[in-house]
Amino acid sequence: MSNTAWENLVKKQLKTEDIYSVLTKENLEGIQVKPYYDSVQKTLVNLPKIEESTHLVARYHESLEQDVFAFILDQNVENLEQKTIFVNNVDLAGHISPKEEDQYFSLIDVFDEKEAVINDQLVKELLAKEFKRNICVDISLHQNAGAAIYQQLGIALAKTKELVEVYGPEILNKLIFRLAIGGNYFFEMAKLRAFKMVFNQLSKEYGLDEIPYIFAETSLRNKAVSDNENNLIRSTLELASAMIGGADAVFSNNYLVDRSTENSEEISFKQQIVLAYESIINVFEDAANGSYYVEDITQQIAEKSWALFVEIEEAGGYLELLKQGIIQKKIYNHAVEEQRWVEEGKIKLIGVNLYPKLEVKKTVEELYNQNEIKAVRWAEMFE
């Protein structure tokens, strides 16, 4: 169908000549989204991932030991062999001595966001370990605090640059990036794909050709205490975005916001199993490649992320801007605007601001602090 034929059809259906004002949708990312795509400005190459098949990661439980191949660990488990382990505890990391057949990854953030420093001793201790990926750059906090997608990626690059300046370019292939995936389905696919582009671009500045190892987990930001079933649906879509976007590992946070049960932990993991085994989206290298829409927003997000990274570097770098409170303010400004959209219903959250519409109980000022990067759920305003 040609553009003209499509436009005429939509004009007839919408009963208006001014179809673009009706179909155009705002977004807080500043990304231009067209209602119709018949081409893409620049065709992207296939964006690879590290793992051949996305790791499906469960929180460790004894009952899962026979069937699950990748665990996230907060405490030591004896005789856990031939598994992929994502270590989520500093003390545990200190006691682990991997064997050759073991695959260990660190999910311990080496940045102290409050003190605006890198924990040098922790970095050196982790680098001394025979882990597959030793150093975690955690951006999940920034997503849950309300950072825009391009802010998350720009900050990830800026944090990477801080590490390279201290420990050298050889640290690039020792990094694992922990990202939280929100509910904006196609934008989150594009986020992972854009990050692969900009990270590779950064590595080329040092004469390398690296791609990032991405550990993607479901977001807490759009979850509500009273909507367990809706939370389950939201996190399933987030996992799908992560797999299609090309994450190397995925993990589903418990859909019960304020508690955890053995059953909820099992169901949270089975979300991944159903997606992987019944849709097989975890085995594709770049499943979104070829979609004009996703490729277009991937390019836009990559450009905005790189521009923010350059801005941060020219102003003194991530840690310096963190000390000055500038990073916190950038995230705060976006988070507050996003929260206002939730309050006004421009961002829809079923069971919170739509079907039913709950009353506001906390103000934006009560929820957010411009001097601190902290996780805030949208629904907290109504709970």
Side-chain angles (χ1 to χ4, degrees):
M1 181 181 288
S2 68
N3 264 2
T4 303
W6 174 84
E7 286 175 343
N8 289 335
L9 177 63
V10 176
K11 285 176 183 178
K12 183 178 179 181
Q13 291 175 337
L14 294 180
K15 298 178 181 178
T16 178
E17 290 292 314
D18 187 18
I19 63 171
Y20 287 97
S21 65
V22 177
L23 295 174
T24 299
K25 291 186 177 181
E26 290 182 277
N27 63 79
L28 288 169
E29 301 288 340
I31 301 298
Q32 182 184 3
V33 177
K34 297 189 292 185
Y36 177 80
Y37 291 82
D38 64 347
S39 63
V40 66
Q41 186 175 1
K42 181 182 179 183
T43 303
L44 297 181
V45 296
N46 211 44
L47 298 171
K49 58 185 184 182
I50 304 284
E51 299 288 356
E52 184 176 343
S53 181
T54 303
H55 284 307
L56 311 177
V57 185
R59 195 170 296 282
Y60 177 79
H61 191 275
E62 189 177 5
S63 64
L64 298 173
E65 199 168 313
Q66 294 298 317
D67 301 317
V68 176
F69 298 99
F71 286 112
I72 185 169
L73 282 189
D74 294 295
Q75 59 189 20
N76 191 36
V77 178
E78 297 292 338
N79 303 316
L80 194 60
E81 297 178 350
Q82 295 184 329
K83 303 289 185 184
T84 296
I85 305 298
F86 294 88
V87 181
N88 200 35
N89 179 282
V90 175
D91 294 331
L92 176 59
H95 291 94
I96 289 175
S97 298
K99 300 172 184 176
E100 286 187 8
E101 65 271 20
D102 299 330
Q103 289 196 84
Y104 279 85
F105 297 80
S106 171
L107 290 182
I108 302 160
D109 193 5
V110 297
F111 284 81
D112 185 330
E113 303 285 341
K114 290 185 178 179
E115 298 297 324
V117 295
I118 297 171
N119 189 331
D120 180 62
Q121 182 179 347
L122 178 59
V123 172
K124 289 175 179 175
E125 288 175 0
L126 289 170
L127 287 174
K129 298 283 182 181
E130 293 297 321
F131 285 8
K132 293 291 183 180
R133 294 274 166 161
N134 309 66
I135 306 300
C136 176
V137 178
D138 190 351
I139 309 299
S140 63
L141 169 64
H142 301 75
Q143 193 277 340
N144 283 304
I149 286 175
Y150 75 91
Q151 289 176 334
Q152 294 168 46
L153 302 191
I155 287 169
L157 292 177
K159 292 178 83 169
T160 301
K161 181 79 182 309
E162 296 279 0
L163 289 167
V164 170
E165 287 180 352
V166 178
Y167 305 101
E170 57 272 15
I171 202 172
L172 288 175
N173 64 6
K174 301 180 187 298
L175 301 179
I176 176 170
F177 292 88
R178 186 173 189 170
L179 304 177
I181 306 300
N184 198 337
Y185 191 64
F186 293 106
F187 272 49
E188 293 293 336
M189 287 180 206
K191 177 171 83 176
L192 299 191
R193 300 179 78 248
F195 185 55
K196 294 183 182 195
M197 292 172 59
V198 293
F199 180 84
N200 182 254
Q201 185 176 342
L202 178 61
S203 77
K204 286 179 177 177
E205 299 287 328
Y206 300 100
L208 302 172
D209 190 20
E210 299 288 341
I211 54 175
Y213 192 107
I214 298 175
F215 178 97
E217 64 183 60
T218 57
S219 173
L220 299 175
R221 187 151 173 78
N222 59 349
K223 306 305 185 293
V225 169
S226 59
D227 286 309
N228 300 332
E229 293 80 5
N230 288 344
N231 290 342
L232 194 59
I233 295 167
R234 292 178 185 121
S235 55
T236 302
L237 290 169
E238 291 160 9
L239 289 169
S241 287
M243 291 184 190
I244 295 170
D248 296 290
V250 293
F251 173 70
S252 183
N253 284 300
N254 200 304
Y255 65 93
L256 300 181
V257 172
D258 58 347
R259 66 193 187 282
S260 175
T261 66
E262 188 173 321
N263 186 53
S264 68
E265 291 286 356
E266 183 180 353
I267 291 173
S268 293
F269 177 66
K270 283 182 176 177
Q271 292 175 271
Q272 303 170 42
I273 295 293
V274 171
L275 283 169
Y277 291 5
E278 295 191 10
S279 69
I280 327 178
I281 55 177
N282 64 315
V283 301
F284 290 98
E285 188 171 70
D286 187 7
N289 196 2
S291 162
Y292 293 149
Y293 172 43
V294 176
E295 287 197 18
D296 184 64
I297 60 177
T298 296
Q299 287 279 6
Q300 290 186 63
I301 291 171
E303 290 168 6
K304 286 178 69 70
S305 303
W306 188 264
L308 177 61
F309 165 60
V310 171
E311 178 188 324
I312 292 171
E313 289 308 302
E314 290 178 346
Y318 179 72
L319 293 177
E320 178 57 34
L321 295 193
L322 204 60
K323 290 173 185 173
Q324 296 177 24
I326 294 173
I327 297 292
Q328 296 91 320
K329 191 66 167 29
K330 284 180 179 292
I331 294 173
Y332 170 83
N333 288 340
H334 184 270
V336 166
E337 184 65 19
E338 193 176 65
Q339 190 71 50
R340 289 204 173 99
W341 275 35
V342 173
E343 185 178 3
E344 294 166 8
K346 293 169 78 173
I347 293 176
K348 293 175 175 58
L349 207 58
I350 306 299
V352 176
N353 64 4
L354 192 67
Y355 310 130
K357 187 175 182 180
L358 305 180
E359 292 183 5
V360 172
K361 294 183 179 179
K362 294 176 186 173
T363 65
V364 168
E365 290 72 26
E366 290 175 297
L367 292 171
Y368 295 92
N369 182 346
Q370 64 179 335
N371 299 315
E372 182 183 1
I373 302 173
K374 66 171 185 174
V376 179
R377 292 180 298 103
W378 289 335
E380 287 182 55
M381 173 175 270
F382 307 88
E383 293 172 347

